[in-house]
Amino acid sequence: QVQLVESGGGLVQPGGSLRLPCAASGRAYTIINVMGWYRQAPGKQRELVADITSGGRTNVADSVKGRFTISRGNPKNTVYLQMNSLKPEDTAVYYCKAGIGTGFWGQGTQVTVSS
């Protein structure tokens, strides 16, 4: 079993920045192969924002490419989403995921981009 703890959400003005950390625990003795961030806006399906392998290979959605950066931390079972140049359409609940397939999910953190 893996537990994920997310933080860093909040209200930010358009053009602002936020950093979302996610820390995994429970199976810390193994390196989780893939960790990522997803988001779900009201009335929309959950979508991948970005993910990263234990080797550092990243996959970033076109909608956030050039604005968002994903990275793994130390210890390895942490992941960060640096969000710059935020837009109102980035408003959503952001979820951290660990593993592939069904995986393990965090509880979500709200990001609201509004003036």
Side-chain angles (χ1 to χ4, degrees):
Q1 192 72 9
V2 173
Q3 293 80 42
L4 298 171
V5 178
E6 307 136 327
S7 60
L11 173 65
V12 63
Q13 292 188 341
S17 297
L18 282 175
R19 187 177 188 235
L20 305 183
C22 172
S25 62
R27 284 212 306 232
Y29 58 89
T30 62
I31 301 298
I32 299 171
N33 50 3
V34 180
M35 296 187 73
W37 283 95
Y38 289 69
R39 68 185 181 186
Q40 187 166 18
K44 295 188 176 181
Q45 288 190 329
R46 192 172 297 188
E47 63 177 3
L48 172 70
V49 178
D51 60 25
I52 183 168
T53 69
S54 56
R57 188 175 68 226
T58 62
N59 176 31
V60 181
D62 287 343
S63 59
V64 304
K65 203 166 287 184
R67 300 188 296 122
F68 292 11
T69 303
I70 191 168
S71 60
R72 296 284 287 251
N74 187 16
K76 281 284 190 179
N77 289 342
T78 57
V79 64
Y80 301 95
L81 184 68
Q82 177 66 42
M83 305 186 294
N84 299 326
S85 302
L86 282 159
K87 304 175 180 180
E89 51 263 43
D90 295 319
T91 295
V93 178
Y94 284 70
Y95 297 91
C96 179
K97 182 187 176 186
I100 58 175
T102 301
F104 299 91
W105 293 87
Q107 78 284 358
T109 184
Q110 177 71 46
V111 172
T112 303
V113 184
S114 175
S115 55

